[in-house]
Amino acid sequence: MATLILVRHGRSTANTSGVLAGRTPGVALDERGTAQAAALPGRLAGIPLAAVVSSPLQRCRETVRPLLDARPGLPLHIEERINECDYGDWSGRKLAELMDEPLMNVVQAHPSAAAFPGGESMRAMQARAVDAVHDWNARIEAGHGEDAVYAMCTHGDIVKALVADALGLHLDLFQRIQADPCSVTAIRYTRLRPFLIRLGDTGDLASLAPRETPAGDGAAEVGGGAGAP
C-alpha cells in the first residue's frame, strides 16, 4: 500500500503568541514558518510524490505552496477530515490560561475521554483522521500503484493521533508523541501493518537544545507547540 508523508504545517503566528488557534480563520505562517515552508521542496526533492493532500486551513495551504510551485502539475486535494481539532470554546484562547481549566488534566492524562466545550472529542478527531488516511491510501494505490508516496499537510494533534494509530497505541498515550512545526513523519502502510519510518524529522537537532523557558511538569503542548526557539 501507499507510503504517507505527514507534514505538520510551519510555525504560525498563533504558535509564537501562545494561542490555541484551532480553526480560527486568518492564522498564517510567521516569518520562521514561511522559511520552513520554503525549505520543504528541498527536503523532499528525492521523493516522487503522487499527490499532496492538505487541511483546508490557511497555515497548511501556505506550507505546501512552495512544494506545489516547485512541482508544476502535482495535484493538491483539500481534505476536511484532516482539519485541526475543533477546540470549540477553547479556540483563540491563550494556552497559559487554559492550563488552569479542569479539562486540561483530562486532555493531558486521559485524552480519549476529553471533549472540548462547543467542539469535538479527541476520539472523534482521531477517528476522522484515520478514516481519511485509509481512504487516501486506497485512492493513491489505485491510481499510482502500491509503491506510491504522497504527502499530507495537517496539524500537530492530528499527526500525533495518526502516529498513535499506526503504532497501535491507545489514544491516552498520544501526548507522548512530539511533532514540531514543519516536521516530517513517514508511515509505510502494508497489508499486514503500518511501519513508522520517520517521526518528527525537522532536518536539524535544534529542538534538542535546552530551552530558555523550562519545559514545566511534562505537560504536552495542546495543538503541537511552536517547536525549537
Side-chain angles (χ1 to χ4, degrees), residues 209-214 229:
R211 300 189 180 190
E212 294 181 9
T213 303

Side-chain angles (χ1 to χ4, degrees), residues 22-194:
R23 299 180 180 182
T24 305
V27 176
L29 298 183
D30 68 4
E31 184 176 356
R32 180 168 184 166
T34 300
Q36 290 171 333
L40 190 60
R43 294 170 64 197
L44 299 179
I47 302 172
L49 295 175
V52 174
V53 182
S54 176
S55 158
L57 294 186
Q58 178 180 342
R59 53 195 182 271
C60 287
R61 290 173 178 260
E62 290 178 348
T63 298
V64 299
R65 177 48 52 193
L67 178 62
L68 295 168
D69 288 345
R71 301 196 191 193
L74 181 63
L76 171 65
H77 305 277
I78 302 301
E79 173 57 75
E80 179 64 37
R81 291 175 294 176
I82 60 167
N83 202 343
E84 177 65 284
C85 184
D86 184 355
Y87 297 116
D89 297 343
W90 280 25
S91 300
R93 293 179 61 187
K94 287 281 190 179
L95 286 163
E97 70 180 45
L98 289 172
M99 295 305 294
D100 295 327
E101 294 280 354
L103 178 61
M104 182 59 83
N105 290 330
V106 183
V107 171
Q108 293 292 329
H110 193 24
S112 66
F116 296 98
E120 70 178 334
S121 69
M122 302 198 90
R123 284 186 302 158
M125 174 199 74
Q126 184 186 44
R128 62 172 166 81
V130 169
D131 284 348
V133 166
H134 290 171
D135 289 348
W136 277 103
N137 285 348
R139 180 172 174 177
I140 293 296
E141 182 180 357
H144 302 275
E146 62 181 15
D147 294 325
V149 183
Y150 70 107
M152 180 176 281
C153 186
T154 183
H155 307 271
D157 280 348
I158 299 290
V159 172
K160 292 161 58 177
L162 290 170
V163 169
D165 174 75
L167 292 176
L169 295 177
H170 195 283
L171 184 61
D172 286 346
L173 301 179
F174 101 128
Q175 297 290 26
R176 302 183 183 197
I177 300 165
Q178 181 75 19
D180 282 344
C182 224
S183 61
V184 170
T185 294
I187 304 170
R188 179 174 295 125
Y189 289 86
T190 73
R191 305 295 175 197
L192 185 59
R193 62 173 63 89

